[in-house]
Amino acid sequence: MREVAIIGIGMTEFGELWNKSFRELVAEAGIQAILDAGIEGEEIDAMYIGGMSTGRFVGQEHVGSLAVEVAGLEDLHIPATRVEAACASGGVAMHQGYLAVASGMYDIVVVGGAEKMTDVVGREATHILASAADREWEAFFGVTFPGLYALMARYHMHKYGTTQEQLAMVAVKNHYNGSLNPKAQFKRKITVEDVLKSPLVAEPLHLLDCSPITDGAAAAILAPLDLAKKYTDKIVKIKASVQACDTLSLHSRKRFDSLPAAVHAAKKAYEMAGIKPKDVDVAEVHDCFTIAEIIAIEDLGFVEKGQGGKATEEGLTSLDGEIPVNTSGGLKAKGHPVGATGVAQINELVLQLRGEAGKRQVKDAEIGLAHNVGGSGGTCVVHILEAV
Amino acid sequence: MGVARYWREIPARYNLIGKKCQVCGKIYFPPRYVCPKCRRKSIGKMEDYKLNGKGTVESYTIIYTAPPEFEGKTPYAIALIKMDEGCYLTGQIVDCKLEEIHIGMRVEACLRRIQEDGKRGAIYYGYKFRKVES
């Protein structure tokens, strides 16, 4: 297996982008990444694009072919593949791109992720997102996607004494970070009181405990480490890329206070990278709901199981804390265009590791970790990156 | 939804028919084809097993924002229920005040209307859960 590097990144602004179509988003992120990497179109060997439900959000499947057309690469007939794993589609696309380069099959690979969610009305989006859960045995009975995380939240609160205020503090922190990110959907700071006063979506989760509906796309260019030096001196190496799966339904899992797939992926990723959790300088975790970030920092070994709420309250994960988490604003404030999220997390880590994160820069960041989850934990992808 | 998609799940949704692994004895609901513990040895040895319908609330939530097929029914309660046979499932809690629901509450299954396909379409039934007076 060859060592793999990221030589370029690109990302659209995230938000309700009514004036931009799905294909415009794909084009914008891809073009930015190609310009950033300084590669020519004819050097691209393959593409992997994450999209969760493009068929239902914009009535468009066959996204691989669309990406080739958008990129003007049809005469080269390069293979482009759409990858789906619910909200982990982007992370799985990254993993596929990594495997393709590491194996020696391809040299230059474009990884992308895109979702255009605001072309349907809100209630329809709720129905589409529920397809990340088990349609026959969860969604059929009326459980929504926030509902599944609410079940985990209530369980965690009951078992460990995690409070609604501690959940809210995740949103407050991520909105603060989002206020420093020009591409974030929400650049507005909020308070714990704002979260607790916002309408209930699935008790105990309020509206401001939930990530929003977002349009956006992100891309990254991968190359073998040996070849990367030819293109850029701002190389970020992929030290680990691990995907793990679990049951589709929450009720069939071994635990409700943890995502066993995340624990498994993290353990394997730390082994692959030869590091310990405490070596991580900055992390982007899958905070689709505030409880998800609390469970994530426990699953990743940043804190003991059950201590995630307390650690958040004490500022461990703040921008100036020991392990800054979701410096981009996370899914909560940066936005969550489901298929793009996994690749957007990689964008943020690359900015941090290159020292280009502006006002939200973590000082001397050398090792970054991305944790991308599909559904209620049926898929988890962990990437560990290092500045070279 | 095509009617067949609903019809084929009727045994499990009306009568809580799950599966029992004849190798290790573990009971599964919703039905599974392979026992995750015995794997290969369980092939062909997963037999129908009817749950007794009683269980305990492990966690719950009150849904306020619902998908189109449950609009107008909010707020309603959804729970993770540990059945007495050891398996878990997801279902609505009905026939009690939302404030009464708590972790550890004993419940039993009852057959109820779950959703319908518009005003003239099929009505889909299945299990919901109600409180058991202890």
Side-chain angles (χ1 to χ4, degrees):
Chain A
M1 295 282 272
R2 302 189 292 181
E3 292 194 293
V4 182
I6 299 169
I7 60 169
I9 50 167
M11 190 179 126
T12 67
E13 185 193 350
F14 277 13
E16 296 187 14
L17 310 176
W18 296 326
N19 59 336
K20 285 185 184 164
S21 68
F22 177 72
R23 86 174 60 198
E24 269 180 280
L25 294 171
V26 171
E28 196 181 318
I31 289 167
Q32 273 187 36
I34 283 166
L35 292 176
D36 184 46
I39 57 165
E40 300 294 330
E42 52 269 31
E43 292 178 276
I44 298 170
D45 293 314
M47 296 205 268
Y48 295 91
I49 300 110
M52 173 186 163
S53 196
T54 58
R56 295 196 56 206
F57 281 122
V58 290
Q60 182 67 64
E61 309 287 15
H62 211 174
V63 171
S65 169
L66 178 142
V68 166
E69 183 181 317
V70 157
L73 296 174
E74 64 265 38
D75 289 346
L76 302 171
H77 304 292
I78 68 155
T81 309
R82 180 260 186 103
V83 174
E84 190 278 316
C87 324
S89 300
V92 175
M94 269 299 293
H95 183 60
Q96 291 298 316
Y98 169 84
L99 292 176
V101 176
S103 71
M105 183 76 186
Y106 301 128
D107 282 338
I108 305 288
V109 167
V110 178
V111 172
E115 212 81 56
K116 173 77 195 168
M117 301 173 74
T118 63
D119 277 357
V120 297
V121 295
R123 58 210 280 273
E124 211 176 322
T126 302
H127 188 262
I128 296 168
L129 290 171
S131 65
D134 187 327
R135 181 67 73 189
E136 301 295 348
W137 303 105
E138 290 180 327
F140 175 83
F141 295 97
V143 70
T144 57
F145 204 62
L148 291 171
Y149 276 90
L151 290 169
M152 286 189 248
R154 176 96 60 194
Y155 190 87
H156 202 277
M157 290 163 80
H158 182 77
K159 191 163 176 188
Y160 303 110
T162 305
T163 65
Q164 291 226 314
E165 286 76 12
Q166 288 170 343
L167 296 182
M169 283 169 199
V170 172
V172 171
K173 168 182 76 70
N174 292 350
H175 270 252
Y176 173 78
N177 293 350
S179 76
L180 305 176
N181 182 354
K183 288 183 175 177
Q185 180 165 8
F186 298 134
K187 301 179 186 78
R188 178 172 63 93
K189 291 175 204 159
I190 56 168
T191 64
V192 167
E193 201 180 28
D194 291 333
V195 181
L196 299 181
K197 277 189 173 165
S198 65
L200 281 163
V201 171
E203 198 190 340
L205 300 180
H206 293 256
L207 184 65
L208 289 177
D209 282 299
C210 308
S211 56
I213 301 281
T214 310
D215 302 326
I221 316 284
L222 310 188
L225 186 61
D226 294 343
L227 214 61
K229 297 171 187 98
K230 192 179 123 191
Y231 297 97
T232 177
D233 50 7
K234 300 181 295 186
I235 299 169
V236 170
K237 187 176 131 183
I238 301 177
K239 276 179 86 72
S241 175
V242 179
Q243 177 188 348
C245 287
D246 202 333
T247 59
L248 177 62
S249 57
L250 175 66
H251 55 231
S252 298
R253 300 263 168 79
K254 290 284 183 299
R255 297 183 70 153
F256 306 128
D257 60 348
S258 164
L259 274 46
V263 174
H264 186 84
K267 186 169 171 281
K268 285 184 78 172
Y270 289 135
E271 279 169 20
M272 192 171 171
I275 65 162
K276 297 258 185 299
K278 64 171 172 46
D279 298 324
V280 175
D281 298 315
V282 55
E284 286 286 302
V285 310
H286 199 91
D287 60 325
C288 47
F289 301 95
T290 49
I291 183 64
E293 179 170 316
I294 286 175
I295 291 176
I297 61 174
E298 296 170 357
D299 287 347
L300 293 168
F302 297 162
V303 297
E304 295 282 310
K305 181 50 61 194
Q307 298 300 306
K310 192 162 161 273
T312 302
E313 186 173 358
E314 289 169 355
L316 178 92
T317 53
S318 302
L319 206 45
D320 56 357
E322 213 174 302
I323 302 181
V325 171
N326 285 328
T327 56
S328 66
L331 284 54
K332 177 70 204 76
K334 180 184 73 229
H336 183 27
V338 279
T341 284
V343 188
Q345 292 178 324
I346 298 294
N347 266 254
E348 176 69 8
L349 293 182
V350 169
L351 288 176
Q352 289 286 355
L353 299 178
R354 286 180 182 174
E356 296 173 358
K359 287 181 184 161
R360 58 187 197 282
Q361 180 64 48
V362 173
K363 202 165 165 278
D364 302 326
E366 283 176 6
I367 293 182
L369 180 147
H371 156 281
N372 184 202
V373 174
S376 60
T379 298
C380 182
V381 188
V382 172
H383 281 95
I384 296 174
L385 310 184
E386 184 182 35
V388 176
Chain B
M1 182 185 337
V3 174
R5 180 172 181 181
Y6 163 73
W7 162 80
R8 75 175 80 100
E9 308 296 353
I10 281 177
R13 289 202 186 132
Y14 282 21
N15 292 315
L16 288 159
I17 308 285
K19 292 283 181 188
K20 181 175 185 176
C21 172
Q22 301 299 312
V23 181
C24 71
K26 203 165 154 54
I27 293 158
Y28 295 96
F29 192 93
R32 293 184 73 144
Y33 309 105
V34 174
C35 170
K37 204 171 145 208
C38 304
R39 295 194 278 263
R40 189 182 178 89
K41 278 179 266 168
S42 70
I43 295 171
K45 292 190 175 137
M46 300 293 280
E47 291 192 357
D48 285 356
Y49 188 90
K50 184 173 166 32
L51 304 187
N52 78 3
K54 292 200 168 60
T56 308
V57 172
E58 287 285 305
S59 189
Y60 67 98
T61 175
I62 314 296
I63 305 286
Y64 287 86
T65 301
E69 62 273 32
F70 291 94
E71 267 172 10
K73 293 178 180 145
T74 56
Y76 58 87
I78 289 273
L80 262 178
I81 297 160
K82 184 177 187 183
M83 302 305 290
D84 288 355
E85 292 83 356
C87 47
Y88 292 79
L89 53 75
T90 304
Q92 289 190 28
I93 306 279
V94 291
D95 296 354
C96 72
K97 288 195 182 119
L98 296 176
E99 306 83 69
E100 282 180 62
I101 302 168
H102 58 272
I103 292 175
M105 184 166 102
R106 290 288 292 161
V107 292
E108 65 181 1
C110 49
L111 183 70
R112 292 297 164 88
R113 173 192 290 231
I114 306 291
Q115 40 171 291
E116 52 273 320
D117 230 351
K119 281 186 178 147
R120 295 191 182 121
I123 297 171
Y124 306 137
Y125 294 90
Y127 50 78
K128 289 186 183 178
F129 289 83
R130 63 186 170 210
K131 191 175 164 186
V132 177
E133 300 297 339
S134 47

PDB file of all heavy atoms in Angstrom, chain B residues 74-89:
ATOM      1  N   THR B  74     -48.902  14.878  16.134  1.00  0.00           N
ATOM      2  CA  THR B  74     -47.921  15.332  17.130  1.00  0.00           C
ATOM      3  C   THR B  74     -48.648  16.059  18.265  1.00  0.00           C
ATOM      4  O   THR B  74     -49.708  16.648  18.023  1.00  0.00           O
ATOM      5  CB  THR B  74     -46.900  16.291  16.487  1.00  0.00           C
ATOM      6  OG1 THR B  74     -47.607  17.374  15.882  1.00  0.00           O
ATOM      7  CG2 THR B  74     -46.027  15.595  15.482  1.00  0.00           C
ATOM      8  N   PRO B  75     -48.100  16.110  19.479  1.00  0.00           N
ATOM      9  CA  PRO B  75     -46.915  15.345  19.864  1.00  0.00           C
ATOM     10  C   PRO B  75     -47.282  13.891  20.177  1.00  0.00           C
ATOM     11  O   PRO B  75     -48.340  13.628  20.692  1.00  0.00           O
ATOM     12  CB  PRO B  75     -46.447  16.063  21.130  1.00  0.00           C
ATOM     13  CG  PRO B  75     -47.694  16.642  21.725  1.00  0.00           C
ATOM     14  CD  PRO B  75     -48.626  16.933  20.594  1.00  0.00           C
ATOM     15  N   TYR B  76     -46.382  12.983  19.815  1.00  0.00           N
ATOM     16  CA  TYR B  76     -46.586  11.577  20.178  1.00  0.00           C
ATOM     17  C   TYR B  76     -45.289  10.993  20.714  1.00  0.00           C
ATOM     18  O   TYR B  76     -44.206  11.525  20.452  1.00  0.00           O
ATOM     19  CB  TYR B  76     -47.115  10.768  18.982  1.00  0.00           C
ATOM     20  CG  TYR B  76     -46.256  10.771  17.738  1.00  0.00           C
ATOM     21  CD1 TYR B  76     -45.231   9.839  17.563  1.00  0.00           C
ATOM     22  CD2 TYR B  76     -46.475  11.697  16.715  1.00  0.00           C
ATOM     23  CE1 TYR B  76     -44.463   9.843  16.415  1.00  0.00           C
ATOM     24  CE2 TYR B  76     -45.700  11.701  15.557  1.00  0.00           C
ATOM     25  CZ  TYR B  76     -44.697  10.770  15.411  1.00  0.00           C
ATOM     26  OH  TYR B  76     -43.927  10.764  14.276  1.00  0.00           O
ATOM     27  N   ALA B  77     -45.420   9.905  21.474  1.00  0.00           N
ATOM     28  CA  ALA B  77     -44.253   9.337  22.157  1.00  0.00           C
ATOM     29  C   ALA B  77     -43.725   8.119  21.399  1.00  0.00           C
ATOM     30  O   ALA B  77     -44.497   7.290  20.923  1.00  0.00           O
ATOM     31  CB  ALA B  77     -44.632   8.920  23.569  1.00  0.00           C
ATOM     32  N   ILE B  78     -42.415   8.054  21.297  1.00  0.00           N
ATOM     33  CA  ILE B  78     -41.731   6.898  20.707  1.00  0.00           C
ATOM     34  C   ILE B  78     -40.770   6.350  21.763  1.00  0.00           C
ATOM     35  O   ILE B  78     -40.101   7.127  22.443  1.00  0.00           O
ATOM     36  CB  ILE B  78     -40.905   7.335  19.469  1.00  0.00           C
ATOM     37  CG1 ILE B  78     -41.814   7.707  18.309  1.00  0.00           C
ATOM     38  CG2 ILE B  78     -39.884   6.281  19.070  1.00  0.00           C
ATOM     39  CD1 ILE B  78     -42.234   6.563  17.411  1.00  0.00           C
ATOM     40  N   ALA B  79     -40.718   5.042  21.880  1.00  0.00           N
ATOM     41  CA  ALA B  79     -39.816   4.466  22.883  1.00  0.00           C
ATOM     42  C   ALA B  79     -38.961   3.345  22.308  1.00  0.00           C
ATOM     43  O   ALA B  79     -39.337   2.690  21.335  1.00  0.00           O
ATOM     44  CB  ALA B  79     -40.627   3.930  24.056  1.00  0.00           C
ATOM     45  N   LEU B  80     -37.806   3.194  22.931  1.00  0.00           N
ATOM     46  CA  LEU B  80     -36.968   2.000  22.731  1.00  0.00           C
ATOM     47  C   LEU B  80     -37.421   1.044  23.820  1.00  0.00           C
ATOM     48  O   LEU B  80     -37.348   1.375  25.006  1.00  0.00           O
ATOM     49  CB  LEU B  80     -35.506   2.343  23.016  1.00  0.00           C
ATOM     50  CG  LEU B  80     -34.535   2.665  21.903  1.00  0.00           C
ATOM     51  CD1 LEU B  80     -33.193   3.014  22.537  1.00  0.00           C
ATOM     52  CD2 LEU B  80     -34.379   1.515  20.940  1.00  0.00           C
ATOM     53  N   ILE B  81     -37.910  -0.113  23.415  1.00  0.00           N
ATOM     54  CA  ILE B  81     -38.482  -1.034  24.396  1.00  0.00           C
ATOM     55  C   ILE B  81     -37.682  -2.329  24.443  1.00  0.00           C
ATOM     56  O   ILE B  81     -37.392  -2.926  23.400  1.00  0.00           O
ATOM     57  CB  ILE B  81     -39.961  -1.323  24.068  1.00  0.00           C
ATOM     58  CG1 ILE B  81     -40.744  -0.009  24.171  1.00  0.00           C
ATOM     59  CG2 ILE B  81     -40.551  -2.393  24.991  1.00  0.00           C
ATOM     60  CD1 ILE B  81     -42.048  -0.009  23.445  1.00  0.00           C
ATOM     61  N   LYS B  82     -37.316  -2.728  25.666  1.00  0.00           N
ATOM     62  CA  LYS B  82     -36.657  -4.028  25.832  1.00  0.00           C
ATOM     63  C   LYS B  82     -37.744  -5.051  26.103  1.00  0.00           C
ATOM     64  O   LYS B  82     -38.437  -4.981  27.129  1.00  0.00           O
ATOM     65  CB  LYS B  82     -35.659  -3.998  26.993  1.00  0.00           C
ATOM     66  CG  LYS B  82     -34.912  -5.306  27.110  1.00  0.00           C
ATOM     67  CD  LYS B  82     -33.864  -5.300  28.199  1.00  0.00           C
ATOM     68  CE  LYS B  82     -33.043  -6.585  28.122  1.00  0.00           C
ATOM     69  NZ  LYS B  82     -32.063  -6.678  29.187  1.00  0.00           N
ATOM     70  N   MET B  83     -37.944  -5.967  25.166  1.00  0.00           N
ATOM     71  CA  MET B  83     -38.975  -6.984  25.327  1.00  0.00           C
ATOM     72  C   MET B  83     -38.502  -8.023  26.353  1.00  0.00           C
ATOM     73  O   MET B  83     -37.296  -8.217  26.544  1.00  0.00           O
ATOM     74  CB  MET B  83     -39.278  -7.657  23.976  1.00  0.00           C
ATOM     75  CG  MET B  83     -39.728  -6.672  22.888  1.00  0.00           C
ATOM     76  SD  MET B  83     -41.153  -5.645  23.351  1.00  0.00           S
ATOM     77  CE  MET B  83     -42.456  -6.896  23.345  1.00  0.00           C
ATOM     78  N   ASP B  84     -39.438  -8.694  26.985  1.00  0.00           N
ATOM     79  CA  ASP B  84     -39.081  -9.651  28.037  1.00  0.00           C
ATOM     80  C   ASP B  84     -38.203 -10.785  27.506  1.00  0.00           C
ATOM     81  O   ASP B  84     -37.451 -11.409  28.256  1.00  0.00           O
ATOM     82  CB  ASP B  84     -40.345 -10.221  28.695  1.00  0.00           C
ATOM     83  CG  ASP B  84     -41.027  -9.170  29.576  1.00  0.00           C
ATOM     84  OD1 ASP B  84     -40.448  -8.073  29.733  1.00  0.00           O
ATOM     85  OD2 ASP B  84     -42.129  -9.448  30.079  1.00  0.00           O
ATOM     86  N   GLU B  85     -38.284 -11.039  26.199  1.00  0.00           N
ATOM     87  CA  GLU B  85     -37.459 -12.093  25.584  1.00  0.00           C
ATOM     88  C   GLU B  85     -36.021 -11.626  25.356  1.00  0.00           C
ATOM     89  O   GLU B  85     -35.178 -12.403  24.903  1.00  0.00           O
ATOM     90  CB  GLU B  85     -38.068 -12.525  24.252  1.00  0.00           C
ATOM     91  CG  GLU B  85     -39.394 -13.265  24.376  1.00  0.00           C
ATOM     92  CD  GLU B  85     -40.609 -12.337  24.517  1.00  0.00           C
ATOM     93  OE1 GLU B  85     -40.403 -11.100  24.588  1.00  0.00           O
ATOM     94  OE2 GLU B  85     -41.742 -12.833  24.564  1.00  0.00           O
ATOM     95  N   GLY B  86     -35.725 -10.343  25.629  1.00  0.00           N
ATOM     96  CA  GLY B  86     -34.346  -9.852  25.539  1.00  0.00           C
ATOM     97  C   GLY B  86     -34.034  -9.006  24.325  1.00  0.00           C
ATOM     98  O   GLY B  86     -32.987  -8.357  24.270  1.00  0.00           O
ATOM     99  N   CYS B  87     -34.947  -9.004  23.331  1.00  0.00           N
ATOM    100  CA  CYS B  87     -34.695  -8.187  22.141  1.00  0.00           C
ATOM    101  C   CYS B  87     -35.300  -6.796  22.335  1.00  0.00           C
ATOM    102  O   CYS B  87     -36.129  -6.587  23.218  1.00  0.00           O
ATOM    103  CB  CYS B  87     -35.278  -8.863  20.903  1.00  0.00           C
ATOM    104  SG  CYS B  87     -36.960  -9.446  21.121  1.00  0.00           S
ATOM    105  N   TYR B  88     -34.851  -5.849  21.495  1.00  0.00           N
ATOM    106  CA  TYR B  88     -35.335  -4.474  21.595  1.00  0.00           C
ATOM    107  C   TYR B  88     -36.097  -4.113  20.329  1.00  0.00           C
ATOM    108  O   TYR B  88     -35.791  -4.610  19.252  1.00  0.00           O
ATOM    109  CB  TYR B  88     -34.161  -3.507  21.713  1.00  0.00           C
ATOM    110  CG  TYR B  88     -33.382  -3.615  23.010  1.00  0.00           C
ATOM    111  CD1 TYR B  88     -32.444  -4.623  23.199  1.00  0.00           C
ATOM    112  CD2 TYR B  88     -33.577  -2.680  24.033  1.00  0.00           C
ATOM    113  CE1 TYR B  88     -31.721  -4.711  24.381  1.00  0.00           C
ATOM    114  CE2 TYR B  88     -32.862  -2.751  25.215  1.00  0.00           C
ATOM    115  CZ  TYR B  88     -31.927  -3.772  25.387  1.00  0.00           C
ATOM    116  OH  TYR B  88     -31.218  -3.845  26.557  1.00  0.00           O
ATOM    117  N   LEU B  89     -37.072  -3.218  20.474  1.00  0.00           N
ATOM    118  CA  LEU B  89     -37.731  -2.672  19.287  1.00  0.00           C
ATOM    119  C   LEU B  89     -38.154  -1.234  19.534  1.00  0.00           C
ATOM    120  O   LEU B  89     -38.029  -0.709  20.642  1.00  0.00           O
ATOM    121  CB  LEU B  89     -38.913  -3.555  18.873  1.00  0.00           C
ATOM    122  CG  LEU B  89     -39.970  -3.914  19.901  1.00  0.00           C
ATOM    123  CD1 LEU B  89     -40.875  -2.740  20.188  1.00  0.00           C
ATOM    124  CD2 LEU B  89     -40.801  -5.074  19.382  1.00  0.00           C
TER     125      LEU B  89
END
